[in-house]
Amino acid sequence: MAWSRYVALGDSFTEGLDDPYPDGMGTGYRGWADLVAAHLNVEYANLAIRGRLFDAVVAEQVEPALAMQADLISFAAGGNDILRRRCDPPALMARFAKTIELFRGTGADVLVFRFANVLSRLPGNRMIGPRVRYLNQAVGEITEQSGARLVDLWSDPEYDNPALWSVDRLHLSAAGHLRTAAHVLAALDVSPPSQWWDVPGWPPPRSWAAARAADAAWAARHLAPWIKRRLTGRSSGDGIQAKRPSLRPMA
């Protein structure tokens, strides 16, 4: 199967945080979607913006994506929603299914994701854990019903390695994005470069005191600003524009 136009929709996961372009090759972030587009040598638009909730992704990105008449679409949304207390997972996934049905109705191949396991690195597991598992199960069911292609990161134990994650413990590192790009290509029945599967060695174990100090530093740098944004109704994506709002060749 050969594709000519690929459009990526979503939030920070698809935008590419935290994978800066190596050697100053570009501004902002690269990420797995850029890697996939370049490997496929297709026209490409990345509409994803960090911090977006599901309904905002749909409202802002679906219509432009449809107008581009892509034959390959990736859709990853809902991860920010499950961090909110008022999230209704069944209602969320019902809207998710309708969106995938809409895309599949165009004849495009559609990529959807089971998110990798971040539960061991984040607080609030009692609330978040069941929601993550529900979403991942629902995505699998939607895949079977719609004929979309499933990228199953949840089942890959290598994502337990902290080296695949950014210092904020929520976004992928450069190595994490490479491995994710390899998973995406495999879901498309395309062989990725073998080195994209490579996983760095695990960081050396820390003492209890060092681990607690790292937790405190992480909370001050990343958790506290996130809480402040929730309380003030702001988002990390406020004022951010899609990094590739229109189709352009990738090679």
Side-chain angles (χ1 to χ4, degrees):
M1 181 68 181
W3 300 272
S4 59
R5 293 182 173 184
Y6 167 37
V7 179
L9 299 85
D11 50 31
S12 58
F13 169 69
T14 302
E15 185 186 343
L17 277 67
D18 276 325
D19 179 22
Y21 278 94
D23 304 322
M25 293 171 55
T27 58
Y29 296 96
R30 179 181 60 179
W32 62 264
D34 283 25
L35 290 163
V36 167
H39 189 78
L40 295 177
N41 192 21
V42 293
E43 287 188 292
Y44 167 58
N46 189 325
L47 307 181
I49 298 177
R50 69 196 73 171
R52 291 300 194 260
L53 297 173
F54 181 91
D55 289 340
V57 171
V58 171
E60 298 172 6
Q61 300 175 28
V62 167
E63 185 175 344
L66 291 172
M68 293 175 186
Q69 299 181 328
D71 48 17
L72 178 62
I73 297 169
S74 64
F75 185 80
N80 290 318
D81 296 72
I82 63 175
L83 300 176
R84 270 66 172 181
R85 289 187 175 274
R86 295 182 181 180
C87 176
D88 182 348
L92 172 65
M93 296 314 293
R95 300 197 299 277
F96 190 105
K98 290 182 179 179
T99 304
I100 302 307
E101 181 181 358
L102 177 64
F103 286 139
R104 288 290 293 145
T106 69
D109 276 318
V110 180
L111 293 157
V112 295
F113 295 79
R114 278 184 174 146
F115 294 121
N117 188 357
V118 298
L119 299 179
S120 63
R121 290 179 298 282
L122 297 176
N125 285 348
R126 290 185 179 181
M127 178 185 74
I128 299 171
R131 295 178 176 182
V132 171
R133 295 183 181 91
Y134 181 91
L135 263 64
N136 282 339
Q137 179 180 347
V139 166
E141 295 170 354
I142 291 167
T143 300
E144 294 178 0
Q145 295 165 3
S146 66
R149 294 176 182 250
L150 178 64
V151 183
D152 188 1
L153 307 182
W154 177 263
S155 298
D156 184 352
E158 294 292 353
Y159 285 95
D160 292 339
N161 185 341
L164 292 184
W165 298 90
S166 165
V167 294
D168 70 2
R169 306 184 182 182
L170 182 61
H171 297 104
L172 294 169
S173 65
H177 278 283
L178 282 169
R179 190 169 181 87
T180 300
H183 273 289
V184 171
L185 290 174
L188 293 172
D189 301 317
V190 175
S191 297
S194 60
Q195 65 270 24
W196 288 11
W197 292 112
D198 292 346
V199 176
W202 280 63
R206 291 169 169 167
S207 67
W208 183 91
R212 300 295 76 75
D215 288 344
W218 169 81
R221 183 177 178 183
H222 300 287
L223 180 60
W226 183 87
I227 293 173
K228 182 178 180 179
R229 289 195 297 271
R230 298 292 77 72
L231 294 175
T232 57
R234 300 186 63 190
S235 166
S236 59
D238 289 350
I240 302 293
Q241 300 296 318
K243 65 178 185 178
R244 288 184 178 83
S246 59
L247 286 163
R248 63 186 67 184
M250 289 290 287

